[in-house]
Amino acid sequence: MDVDTRLLRYFAAIAEEGNLTRAAHRLFVSQPSLTKQLKHLESQLGVRLFTRSSTGMKLTEAGHVLAARVPPVLAGWDAAVSETRGAARVLRVGFLSSAANDATQDVVAAFGKVRPGWRVDLRQAPWSDPTAGLAAAEVPVALLRLPFPGEETFGVRTLFSESRCVALPSTHRLAGRDSVPFREVRDEPVIVAPALKGAWRDHWLAMSERDGREVRVGAVVERPDEFLSAIAGGYGIALVPSSASHFHSRPDVVYVPVTGVSPSEVAVAWLPDAGEAAADFVRCCLEVTRSRRTGCGTRWG
């Protein structure tokens, strides 16, 4: 019988969390989807893995047996994948669209000099996964934004920080301003990503600067094109990195610098057992960042 390793990862998360909601948040999937996948795994195995109650999910005897076996199975598979890609000289790198920019190719080029013959396979993640594939071990290293869920379980190095601005429809009353205090837009409906939970959610909604005001959600989007369309359509506004004005420019959306909110940080993060190729990529990220800080007329973001 063949079982998808994703199902095993889902099972392991539920077993460790003991709660469907927490496991779904950790995996960046909806709770109904996670429940469906668990039922699929139980159907394939022909056994019940959990007993469900108001207090959470408790492993059955069969579930305990599987829970003991799954971690080494997944570790072995991850090692096999890593070694296979290493033999093929391929490094898979996850990224969020807001974290990869005009310096990314410089990093890839620098990595190619360190590891001749290697290829970097860049994989864009949807905004519903702010770990850019790290949480599901789909990639060993990623370019992303801080803070992100589970950050403490990965290796993380900050590359740079940048101020934030507010994205507005071009017809908005504040569209012509040189800058705007956050207090003038904090009561407006906002465009959010599906994964806005915890510290990630709090940062992009500037919860600490809202003085307790309730957030009104205007739309939920997963990708940049959906985000821009929602802004242009007047469904809401959003705090974004200042570089968004360069990488996501369109005539019906304007980006106005906003004061009174903290900056955004771009980082490179990696799995604890990412391997030497990933370590070399991290070093290239840091070196390119340093060179751009000291160069004239260059920028990252």
Side-chain angles (χ1 to χ4, degrees):
M1 178 184 65
D2 296 324
V3 176
D4 189 339
T5 55
R6 186 181 295 267
L7 294 181
L8 296 181
R9 294 188 196 281
Y10 287 177
F11 165 78
I14 299 171
E16 291 171 11
E17 297 292 344
N19 180 280
L20 273 171
T21 300
R22 289 197 300 269
H25 289 171
R26 170 176 158 181
L27 295 164
F28 309 109
V29 299
S30 68
Q31 186 171 324
S33 175
L34 184 58
T35 300
K36 181 179 179 181
Q37 296 303 318
L38 174 58
K39 289 180 179 178
H40 182 49
L41 178 60
E42 290 179 323
S43 176
Q44 281 190 291
L45 295 174
V47 299
R48 192 173 184 182
L49 299 171
F50 294 93
T51 56
R52 301 158 178 80
S53 69
S54 58
T55 58
M57 306 286 286
K58 184 178 180 181
L59 286 165
T60 63
E61 185 174 348
H64 276 292
V65 171
L66 185 62
R69 294 286 189 177
V70 162
V73 168
L74 291 177
W77 173 247
D78 291 341
V81 170
S82 177
E83 290 172 14
T84 301
R85 288 178 179 152
R89 298 188 176 186
V90 175
L91 177 66
R92 179 174 288 189
V93 177
F95 72 95
L96 297 180
S97 63
S98 64
N101 41 54
D102 57 2
T104 304
Q105 292 307 313
D106 288 350
V107 173
V108 171
F111 177 80
K113 293 178 180 178
V114 173
R115 286 189 172 254
W118 277 66
R119 176 172 62 85
V120 174
D121 182 11
L122 291 168
R123 294 298 180 99
Q124 182 173 352
W127 288 343
S128 56
D129 180 7
T131 73
L134 287 178
E138 294 172 348
V139 297
V141 62
L143 296 167
L144 34 65
R145 292 270 174 182
L146 302 180
F148 65 92
E151 184 177 326
E152 66 282 355
T153 64
F154 305 105
V156 179
R157 290 291 300 272
T158 300
L159 298 177
F160 67 93
S161 66
E162 60 178 315
S163 60
R164 288 191 279 176
C165 56
V166 59
L168 306 166
S170 58
T171 55
H172 195 280
R173 58 186 174 81
L174 300 174
R177 295 272 290 271
D178 293 330
S179 67
V180 57
F182 179 63
R183 65 176 180 273
E184 291 192 34
V185 295
R186 63 188 174 189
D187 293 325
E188 304 240 3
V190 294
I191 310 301
V192 300
L196 286 179
K197 307 289 183 183
W200 172 270
R201 175 186 188 276
D202 292 349
H203 175 74
W204 289 107
L205 295 180
M207 294 301 294
S208 61
E209 292 91 353
R210 287 185 175 275
D211 294 333
R213 285 173 168 77
E214 182 179 354
V215 175
R216 291 192 297 141
V217 176
V220 179
V221 299
E222 268 198 63
R223 299 189 179 277
D225 56 341
E226 298 171 345
F227 167 80
L228 293 171
S229 294
I231 295 289
Y235 291 97
I237 58 103
L239 291 176
V240 297
S242 58
S243 58
S245 62
H246 174 65
F247 294 104
H248 301 296
S249 176
R250 54 185 277 178
D252 49 4
V253 175
V254 297
Y255 300 91
V256 180
V258 62
T259 60
V261 295
S262 60
S264 173
E265 294 183 318
V266 167
V268 58
W270 62 94
L271 298 177
D273 55 352
E276 285 303 312
D280 286 340
F281 184 84
V282 171
R283 284 190 286 271
C284 290
C285 286
L286 296 172
E287 289 168 4
V288 169
T289 301
R290 283 194 292 269
S291 67
R292 286 193 162 228
R293 284 174 180 162
T294 58
C296 298
T298 60
R299 69 188 186 86
W300 185 327

